[in-house]
Amino acid sequence: MNILITGAGRGLGLELARIALERGHAVVACVRDRSRPSEELRELAERYPGQARIETLDIVSEADAEKLAAKLREESFGLDALVNNAGVLLGRDGGIADLSMDDVRRTFEVNLFGPLAAAKHLTPLLRESESGADIVVNISSEAGSFAGAYGGDYPYALSKTALNMFSKQLNEELKLRGIRVLAVHPGWIRTDMGGDAAPLSAADSAKGIMRLIEGETVVPEDVFFVDYAGRPMPL
């Protein structure tokens, strides 16, 4: 499979790239500036020459998404999977009275508008009939569930709720082309965002998500919001 991953420089995105490469897939690892990847991603790309490529995609830049899509199309490089992983967690402290609207705007730019732009320009590259496992994975969160709503984390929770709706809408459109769209809760994982107290490693979460991408874990057709193990999440 040819798999494109946004936010691949660290955390879950880096582990997804690592596991995909170990399993023999080709990976387009996207970061804000390909000339300045993380040391871990650079070493990973050097370990898999010809199989891994690092590309520029600042998730808040639609121009970057359009440019990358044009580059891949020119090379006749089709995709089998798009993983919208890049995200931010801002404005956690305090309640509504302390909420920074700048944090809200920035969070929506990254967590919602970014995946929208990436899907707009990159889903046309999904190869459809050439692969039975074409898929878009939007990395979401249990925070985006109405059933699990709690006070606080307004920017993050609202953006992930909107991302879930986008995932459902996109799935309804792309299923006509044989393409599946899933919103995936990766679990509470030990990353810069999740913190050291999280019970799940990024590698374990990534392994579960890769099983979803590869089709090893089967999700019922009427389900679009699942966790990393493919278990349905409450809406």
Side-chain angles (χ1 to χ4, degrees):
M1 297 177 70
N2 291 344
I3 303 174
L4 188 146
I5 303 168
T6 70
R10 60 181 181 171
L12 179 61
L14 180 65
E15 289 303 321
L16 283 167
R18 188 191 317 279
I19 290 166
L21 290 166
E22 288 174 353
R23 296 191 181 191
H25 302 299
V27 172
V28 183
C30 297
V31 294
R32 272 177 263 184
D33 183 351
R34 62 174 297 193
S35 68
R36 295 187 297 169
S38 66
E39 185 66 19
E40 294 90 345
L41 181 58
R42 183 188 61 77
E43 292 176 354
L44 190 62
E46 290 175 353
R47 196 180 314 149
Y48 294 91
Q51 189 182 338
R53 56 190 290 173
I54 301 173
E55 297 290 353
T56 294
L57 176 52
D58 186 339
I59 200 62
V60 300
S61 170
E62 183 180 357
D64 276 5
E66 185 174 18
K67 185 176 180 180
L68 177 57
K71 179 179 181 180
L72 296 176
R73 187 177 294 110
E74 193 173 295
E75 298 174 8
S76 298
F77 189 93
L79 296 176
D80 301 296
L82 166 63
V83 183
N84 279 311
N85 165 74
V88 293
L89 176 60
L90 303 174
R92 301 209 73 185
D93 298 329
I96 191 68
D98 300 313
L99 181 64
S100 164
M101 295 308 297
D102 285 340
D103 284 346
V104 176
R105 294 185 186 94
R106 175 64 179 173
T107 300
F108 269 76
E109 284 179 356
V110 175
N111 292 359
L112 177 63
F113 302 156
L116 274 165
K120 172 184 175 180
H121 293 287
L122 293 166
T123 55
L125 298 179
L126 289 167
R127 297 192 284 191
E128 304 173 40
S129 61
E130 295 184 29
S131 169
D134 287 6
I135 188 169
V136 177
V137 170
N138 292 324
I139 299 300
S140 185
S141 170
E142 62 183 355
S145 165
F146 278 87
Y150 53 91
D153 276 351
Y154 291 104
Y156 186 74
L158 291 170
S159 70
K160 292 301 186 180
T161 302
L163 182 67
N164 287 347
M165 181 60 176
F166 167 56
S167 300
K168 173 62 172 174
Q169 289 179 300
L170 189 63
N171 185 63
E172 291 304 304
E173 177 182 348
L174 295 188
K175 70 181 182 182
L176 301 176
R177 292 172 51 196
I179 298 167
R180 188 74 181 271
V181 181
L182 294 176
V184 178
H185 167 52
W188 182 17
I189 53 178
R190 292 188 295 277
T191 61
D192 290 345
M193 185 181 293
D196 294 335
L200 187 66
S201 72
D204 285 341
S205 176
K207 289 174 185 174
I209 294 169
M210 278 305 306
R211 284 191 283 270
L212 289 168
I213 292 171
E214 293 172 332
E216 180 181 338
T217 298
V218 178
V219 177
E221 287 187 11
D222 61 337
V223 175
F224 74 95
F225 185 26
V226 297
D227 71 1
Y228 66 97
R231 295 171 293 219
M233 292 290 295
L235 296 174

